[in-house]
Amino acid sequence: MRVPELQGEEIPMEEPERQYYFIEKCRGIVSKMSQELGRPVYYTVVTFGCQMNARDSEKLEGILEAVGYQKTEQEERADFVIYNTCTVRENANQRVYGRLGYLGKQKKKHPHMMIALCGCMMQESHVVEKLKKSYRFVDLIFGTHNIFRFAELLCQAMNSDRMVVDIWKDTDQIVEDLPVDRKYSFKSGVNIMFGCNNFCSYCIVPYVRGRERSRNPEDILKECRTLAADGVTEVMLLGQNVNSYGKNLNPPVTFASLLSQVEQIPGIKRIRFMTSHPKDLSDELIQVMSQSQKICSHLHLPLQSGSSRILKKMNRRYTKEQYLELVDRIRAAVPDISLTTDIIVGFPGETEEDFQETLDVVRKVRYDSAFTFIYSKRSGTPAAIMEDQVPPEVVKDRFDRLLQLVQEISRQMSSRFTGTVQEVLTEEINGQDPSLVTGRMSNNLLVHFPGDASMIGSYRKVRLDECKGFYYMGTLV
Ligand code: SAH
Ligand code: SF4
Ligand code: F3S
């Protein structure tokens, strides 16, 4: 421990008490800063990447609020800026470096500004090397495994003139009961597991998020109950592969049984989850979904490729036929469910025939929407050293054709509810037209309808008057 001010004091060894101790320490420093500046001190958390990162950012914000910082959306005004990074594709990395360059210039103008970086990118040693060499103005760098130590690291950085760097290779620790500042009062993500053991051959996530660890069901249920008591009615259970939840717990618990238990919590009206790996999606889960009153009518089921040959090279452990058969079983049990997916174009060795197989699955399944990605080479993954990397112009051409098909089908699929009345959760004032509010249906589609701020967080019946492609215009009934 190199924090001079703290020498001689008894620092708790147990978590989360240890972090609460450092929150108190930081509070003192922040309050002094605020007095010296004669104004509140501000923070900004910038989040890249997936829902898991978004949830982590709420934890960062929880700590920053607890130590006395106030939130600002204006990065250049902030006294403390933290980027929670993603490295799933190369362009995510480039965006971070680009914005960081700009932030460096701001810091020259406001030297007291503190800059911190965390998240998945920081788990890559070449990134940290580059930051140490070319981005000396960064004050604090930590990774995904020690994010629960943010208060302690913040305290260290506040007491140091040098860059504080703390990256762990892995962890089996899950620390409960730290502060969280939710973005929405009425809905919340809930981590049910961390890490991933699947090692899809293109994917960096298992290397930067570590081995799969499930939270105890009691902790998850306790969190859901606390959220419900605090006004949350919609929970999104989060994990890289929720279908393998609980396999390593003692005793083991299935994801389906966890869902059934969350279903019992009074106050929770909607349950969502992300992400389902097709290889682990059980009949028990399909049954629970078909009987549930609360699980939303939406399933995100990443396909990645429609070619069994490519799926094998991707290490996805299902074939095109198995995937299609799974979709049939789900649709038979939960009619009208919205299906969405992720697709990668241009995986090494992908031929036009392979690509046609992907288009074939898209035509057969008819997704409500799909995220399409150009394959991005991630160093350290098996796919990065595979032969036959597909030339960029070929990938671009396939990508455009896929996008066109996906959008055409998605437009048709979305419009199938026109004229019906749906229950929506009112989420926010419409960004473009403040006389409208935006609500989300069970199937995850959005509808804009006349309303005001007092409706936010409430469930309303809305008639879907007109489909505008990927959203609806509606009226209250
Ligand atoms: N755990 C989730 C996905 C997490 S990453 C799952 O298995 O479905 C989100 C999406 O990013 C993936 O579904 C995949 O489509 C895409 N992706 C991951 N690695 C990629 C890469 N190297 N290049 C392009 N897309 C990638
Ligand atoms: Fe990546 Fe595959 Fe794990 Fe998803 S399941 S995070 S794609 S390795
Ligand atoms: Fe990105 Fe990390 Fe999520 S790499 S997609 S933020 S798990």
Side-chain angles (χ1 to χ4, degrees):
M1 169 100 303
R2 284 208 326 256
V3 182
E5 272 185 18
L6 303 176
Q7 269 165 16
E9 281 189 44
E10 187 114 1
I11 301 169
M13 293 305 288
E14 295 292 312
E15 299 291 3
E17 292 74 17
R18 188 177 170 93
Q19 298 313 309
Y20 281 97
Y21 170 90
F22 283 105
I23 287 172
E24 274 315 307
K25 288 285 154 203
C26 289
R27 271 189 84 79
I29 302 173
V30 166
S31 140
K32 219 167 111 200
M33 250 186 329
S34 174
Q35 267 168 20
E36 280 166 16
L37 291 165
R39 60 165 175 83
V41 285
Y42 295 103
Y43 77 88
T44 295
V45 177
V46 183
T47 310
F48 300 83
C50 64
Q51 313 259 7
M52 251 93 26
N53 251 21
R55 183 64 179 156
D56 282 348
S57 286
E58 294 185 340
K59 298 176 185 175
L60 298 172
E61 297 204 0
I63 304 276
L64 289 164
E65 297 272 340
V67 305
Y69 278 103
Q70 288 188 19
K71 186 174 179 153
T72 174
E73 300 296 334
Q74 290 164 278
E75 209 170 294
E76 52 281 354
R77 235 187 96 190
D79 304 283
F80 183 86
V81 180
I82 181 159
Y83 286 178
N84 189 8
T85 63
C86 169
T87 185
V88 78
R89 288 170 290 274
E90 185 58 30
N91 54 9
N93 284 36
Q94 291 314 327
R95 276 173 51 217
V96 169
Y97 288 125
R99 287 185 69 150
L100 202 53
Y102 170 77
L103 206 57
K105 293 199 187 88
Q106 295 298 317
K107 189 169 173 168
K108 282 215 174 86
K109 282 189 241 162
H110 311 286
H112 74 281
M113 183 188 228
M114 278 181 78
I115 300 175
L117 293 166
C118 66
C120 296
M121 243 176 106
M122 302 307 126
Q123 293 297 139
E124 295 180 282
S125 50
H126 66 92
V127 170
V128 176
E129 286 316 309
K130 179 166 171 165
L131 292 167
K132 279 186 185 160
K133 214 169 125 215
S134 313
Y135 296 81
R136 294 291 321 158
F137 57 84
V138 174
D139 300 280
L140 169 62
I141 296 177
F142 58 98
T144 56
H145 303 301
N146 54 348
I147 185 167
F148 70 87
R149 285 200 156 196
F150 176 45
E152 180 167 352
L153 293 165
L154 182 63
C155 192
Q156 231 175 305
M158 282 172 162
N159 285 295
S160 163
D161 301 330
R162 302 176 52 193
M163 189 189 260
V164 172
V165 182
D166 192 15
I167 311 285
W168 296 5
K169 285 243 167 308
D170 210 339
T171 184
D172 51 14
Q173 225 174 333
I174 297 179
V175 177
E176 301 286 347
D177 300 324
L178 283 166
V180 179
D181 188 50
R182 290 198 314 275
K183 188 169 171 199
Y184 298 96
S185 57
F186 51 86
K187 67 171 186 178
S188 179
V190 174
N191 298 109
I192 64 165
M193 59 203 299
F194 302 94
C196 182
N197 282 355
N198 285 315
F199 291 95
C200 302
S201 63
Y202 51 81
C203 185
I204 193 130
V205 171
Y207 305 88
V208 296
R209 286 274 172 174
R211 294 294 58 72
E212 194 177 287
R213 284 150 287 144
S214 294
R215 274 177 86 192
N216 286 319
E218 301 78 45
D219 291 327
I220 297 169
L221 295 168
K222 186 174 128 207
E223 182 174 348
C224 290
R225 275 187 221 107
T226 308
L227 288 168
D230 198 29
V232 167
T233 59
E234 180 181 304
V235 289
M236 162 96 79
L237 307 183
L238 297 171
Q240 291 298 351
N241 176 13
V242 292
N243 295 328
S244 72
Y245 169 78
K247 284 189 177 151
N248 298 323
L249 288 173
N250 188 15
V253 183
T254 64
F255 179 54
S257 82
L258 177 72
L259 277 175
S260 306
Q261 294 179 69
V262 176
E263 174 110 13
Q264 305 303 317
I265 299 175
I268 299 293
K269 295 184 76 168
R270 280 183 172 179
I271 305 168
R272 300 183 185 278
F273 50 86
M274 277 270 236
T275 300
S276 279
H277 194 304
K279 82 173 161 68
D280 296 317
L281 202 147
S282 66
D283 284 333
E284 187 196 6
L285 176 64
I286 297 177
Q287 202 191 351
V288 166
M289 286 178 75
S290 74
Q291 288 166 355
S292 165
Q293 303 297 311
K294 296 184 178 176
I295 299 174
C296 288
S297 179
H298 170 220
L299 182 67
H300 187 66
L301 195 63
L303 169 70
Q304 313 303 2
S305 168
S307 155
S308 296
R309 195 180 73 84
I310 294 294
L311 285 168
K312 192 158 201 304
K313 288 179 71 180
M314 285 178 161
N315 194 29
R316 288 291 288 180
R317 285 171 277 176
Y318 53 84
T319 62
K320 174 189 181 185
E321 290 69 29
Q322 284 168 330
Y323 184 94
L324 288 172
E325 193 261 333
L326 176 61
V327 166
D328 285 345
R329 267 189 288 146
I330 294 163
R331 283 222 167 109
V334 193
D336 247 354
I337 190 168
S338 287
L339 289 177
T340 58
T341 201
D342 293 344
I343 299 171
I344 298 175
V345 180
F347 183 84
E350 183 189 75
T351 63
E352 179 61 25
E353 289 71 43
D354 293 317
F355 177 64
Q356 287 298 331
E357 298 275 354
T358 299
L359 294 182
D360 187 46
V361 175
V362 171
R363 281 193 205 99
K364 288 195 165 114
V365 175
R366 299 182 59 75
Y367 294 105
D368 289 82
S369 74
F371 295 105
T372 50
F373 304 109
I374 286 181
Y375 167 72
S376 173
K377 197 193 233 186
R378 308 315 290 132
S379 55
T381 64
I385 46 168
M386 283 182 190
E387 284 169 12
D388 303 331
Q389 303 276 334
V390 186
E393 55 292 356
V394 176
V395 180
K396 179 77 178 68
D397 173 61
R398 286 181 196 159
F399 182 81
D400 291 345
R401 284 186 282 154
L402 174 66
L403 193 62
Q404 208 185 353
L405 179 67
V406 157
Q407 288 185 344
E408 191 184 305
I409 292 174
S410 156
R411 221 170 279 128
Q412 293 164 8
M413 290 302 282
S414 302
S415 68
R416 74 188 192 276
F417 303 102
T418 307
T420 63
V421 173
Q422 302 281 338
E423 183 172 51
V424 310
L425 170 54
T426 319
E427 293 198 338
E428 56 199 5
I429 298 282
N430 184 294
Q432 263 120 54
D433 181 347
S435 72
L436 301 176
V437 289
T438 302
R440 192 178 296 271
M441 305 180 218
S442 170
N443 67 12
N444 213 33
L445 278 177
L446 296 179
V447 53
H448 306 295
F449 56 99
D452 59 55
S454 71
M455 291 159 64
I456 291 173
S458 68
Y459 289 82
R460 302 286 166 134
K461 294 255 191 268
V462 176
R463 177 176 303 105
L464 308 180
D465 300 321
E466 193 190 353
C467 182
K468 295 274 194 185
F470 310 101
Y471 62 92
Y472 279 95
M473 300 308 293
T475 37
L476 278 170
V477 294

